[in-house]
Amino acid sequence: MTTTPRRAAFDILLRIEKERSYADILLDHELTHGTLQGPDRGLLTELVYGVLRRQGTLDHVIDQFASQKTGRLERSVHLLLRLGIYQLLYLDRIPTAAAVHATVELAKTLAPRASGFINAVLRQTDRERQNIRFPDPVNKPAAYLAAAWSEPPWLTARWLEQLGREEAEALARAMVEPAPLTIRVNTLRTSREELQARLASEGVTSTPCRYSPDGLRIDSPVAIGKVASFQEGLCTVQDESSQLAAIFLAPEPEERILDLCAAPGGKSTHLGQRMGNSGTILACDIGVRKLRLIEEAATRLGISTITTTPVDATKPLTALSGEQFNRILVDAPCSGLGVIRRNPEGKWWKNPADITALARTQRAILHNAAEILPSGGTLLYGVCSTDREETDAVLEDFLSEQEEFVVEDLRELFPAHRELFTDRGFFRSWPHRHGMDGFFAARLKRLS
């Protein structure tokens, strides 16, 4: 078993590099089964997520101060340098001498021939930290944002095209900060005010969400899964932007709803709440494991109106064609570019070709869902992405081929949330503007 947070962080980062494993799963396993105690557990989490979030900037610094560039470094040496430089530049509470010593000692075990090299790079980084150079923000804005705020250059170029230089930098800055912990109140069992008071009695402070009437932002550093209120099914973890999807679909009691890409069940269970645990929700996804997550979420929250069935939504939904759904939710698989604060490893795995392939999948799912929606029915298409290719472009393509569908302007339907909507009546949230994940949704109606 690992005995130090730095060694545990190295092992997790190595697995992410080699296997494309997910940080949250590896961290949960280490914190559950490992030997770290007290502050060491927090340091481990900080090191893993911090290095992943700041990886681009860390590599930019390494390339300035190391005689050997990052593209030629052995993987273990590269990871050790990232860990050491992250502590030097971003963790004020760790003394410089301690950060350097601990990293070099770890190198003596994991990369002994490179320990002197690592020591030299760390010490030069410390001496020259005020002289770190970045690309010119005016002449090379995409390269500047990529280096200064640790994002892939292709992504910063898209943000610049979409938002302009000033706002693109505000978004990049927000995307390297830790995301807030937001919960959704289970209104079938309690109210937001009652849960807030209950959490306070459990030592957890919270603030009501600005846009979601069912949301609370947790202000205390806490493992929410261990809090009694959570264990009793009074709440569940869900970002505010995701909560708004069910609100904008606006289901009515006793209706029949289809949630087409439903795992892990956050939106399905929210629909059940909004319907007062009446009517029927058919939650679909691929594979038994995903369906089990939905069922477990519904059971914990006491929602009995959700049934599950395996469905590959990229193929024609002939098995569901005889059903009559009042509303359909399509939370399509996407790049996750709106949630890279939460899953920072993912931004280093993606490229523009991936976005194009995902957009094809999204178009297929949306068309298949539209085929089984009856006249007068409502469909909400959503993705947790900021990219136009997965959002506006998918809708434009769909509407050009489906003349019987029209966009319902969310500005007219939900005037209290007007600042969240585009000039076409689509929902688009931004971390730097609204303090929640990047999310997109459009509501469509099939004409009679």
Side-chain angles (χ1 to χ4, degrees):
M1 284 292 183
T2 301
T3 56
T4 72
R6 292 174 177 84
R7 175 58 192 266
F10 175 89
D11 291 341
I12 289 173
L13 291 168
L14 181 63
R15 286 194 61 185
I16 291 171
E17 285 271 318
K18 293 173 65 176
E19 306 168 10
R20 288 202 170 185
S21 300
Y22 289 98
D24 57 346
I25 296 173
L26 297 178
L27 272 169
D28 181 68
H29 184 271
E30 177 65 32
L31 294 173
T32 302
H33 301 288
T35 60
L36 296 178
Q37 300 294 326
D40 282 350
R41 296 166 65 86
L43 178 57
L44 167 62
T45 302
E46 173 68 38
L47 289 173
V48 171
Y49 277 117
V51 167
L52 291 172
R53 289 190 182 104
R54 302 283 184 173
Q55 178 176 308
T57 304
L58 298 173
D59 286 354
H60 179 80
V61 172
I62 292 169
D63 282 339
Q64 279 193 38
F65 298 134
S67 57
Q68 195 169 6
K69 302 305 180 184
T70 52
R72 301 182 62 188
L73 291 173
E74 292 182 13
R75 180 177 278 155
S76 59
V77 175
H78 194 176
L79 289 178
L80 286 165
L81 283 173
R82 285 176 178 169
L83 275 167
I85 292 173
Y86 178 75
Q87 294 171 74
L88 289 175
L89 299 183
Y90 296 106
L91 296 186
D92 295 338
R93 66 183 183 274
I94 296 181
T96 296
V100 173
H101 175 76
T103 306
V104 172
E105 288 300 303
L106 194 56
K108 290 178 181 178
T109 300
L110 299 172
R113 290 181 300 174
S115 59
F117 169 75
I118 290 171
N119 180 61
V121 174
L122 295 182
R123 293 189 180 282
Q124 185 173 0
T125 300
D126 178 50
R127 290 194 303 269
E128 300 289 333
R129 65 174 69 207
Q130 301 301 323
N131 299 318
I132 297 172
R133 302 180 308 278
F134 292 104
D136 184 87
V138 175
N139 296 322
K140 297 181 178 180
Y144 165 74
L145 292 180
W149 300 109
S150 189
E151 303 292 349
W154 69 267
L155 181 55
T156 58
R158 291 193 179 207
W159 286 348
L160 284 161
E161 181 182 357
Q162 191 169 355
L163 297 170
R165 191 171 69 196
E166 184 175 332
E167 198 171 1
E169 181 162 10
L171 175 60
R173 187 184 299 115
M175 284 298 199
V176 292
E177 295 298 325
L181 172 59
T182 306
I183 62 172
R184 189 188 81 233
V185 180
N186 183 0
T187 51
L188 297 174
R189 292 180 171 172
T190 187
S191 68
R192 182 160 70 172
E193 293 73 23
E194 290 170 346
L195 180 60
Q196 192 175 19
R198 167 72 183 272
L199 288 171
S201 72
E202 296 168 335
V204 180
T205 58
S206 62
T207 304
C209 287
R210 180 179 177 184
Y211 302 103
S212 171
D214 301 333
L216 285 171
R217 181 172 294 194
I218 302 302
D219 301 322
S220 307
V222 62
I224 194 67
K226 296 182 179 179
V227 176
S229 294
F230 181 91
Q231 295 175 344
E232 293 171 19
L234 301 184
C235 61
T236 192
V237 175
Q238 187 179 24
D239 185 70
E240 186 175 9
S241 63
S242 180
Q243 293 179 36
L244 291 172
I247 292 171
F248 295 153
L249 184 59
E252 297 287 343
E254 304 301 334
E255 286 187 330
R256 183 163 176 76
I257 310 293
L258 173 63
D259 187 353
L260 200 50
C261 305
K267 296 179 182 67
S268 292
T269 54
H270 198 192
L271 290 169
Q273 283 181 215
R274 305 292 294 183
M275 298 165 68
N277 203 26
S278 68
T280 305
I281 300 165
L282 180 60
C284 306
D285 219 308
I286 298 178
V288 174
R289 180 180 171 276
K290 287 190 171 184
L291 297 180
R292 190 177 300 122
L293 293 174
I294 302 168
E295 293 161 0
E296 290 171 354
T299 298
R300 189 178 67 82
L301 296 170
I303 298 170
S304 58
T305 55
I306 297 174
T307 58
T308 63
T309 190
V311 168
D312 181 354
T314 64
K315 299 176 181 178
L317 304 174
T318 52
L320 302 177
S321 59
E323 305 271 4
Q324 287 292 309
F325 299 105
N326 304 96
R327 302 171 199 265
I328 297 178
L329 174 61
V330 178
D331 183 19
C334 70
S335 64
L337 293 177
V339 296
I340 55 178
R341 298 183 300 175
R342 301 183 186 279
N343 309 110
E345 65 274 29
K347 66 184 177 182
W348 306 114
W349 300 342
K350 297 177 176 67
N351 58 60
D354 296 327
I355 308 302
T356 300
L358 283 163
R360 284 196 297 268
T361 299
Q362 292 150 8
R363 287 195 295 271
I365 293 173
L366 181 55
H367 280 274
N368 290 337
E371 287 297 316
I372 63 169
L373 185 70
S375 296
T378 300
L379 185 152
L380 191 83
Y381 168 78
V383 286
C384 53
S385 176
T386 58
D387 199 88
R388 290 186 186 277
E389 193 170 355
E390 299 180 272
T391 57
D392 304 75
V394 170
L395 264 294
E396 289 165 4
D397 176 85
F398 174 81
L399 292 169
S400 70
E401 298 180 8
Q402 299 278 355
E403 294 182 356
E404 68 271 34
F405 279 83
V406 295
V407 174
E408 292 196 295
D409 193 333
L410 293 172
R411 295 173 297 179
E412 298 176 1
L413 296 171
F414 303 93
H417 294 80
R418 193 176 183 88
E419 65 185 279
L420 298 175
F421 306 138
T422 71
D423 56 8
R424 294 190 63 187
F426 299 153
F427 166 49
R428 176 173 270 118
S429 59
W430 297 96
H432 67 292
R433 290 184 190 171
H434 310 116
M436 51 183 162
D437 289 342
F439 199 89
F440 172 93
R443 184 165 139 161
L444 307 170
K445 179 172 284 290
R446 186 168 200 159
L447 300 176
S448 299

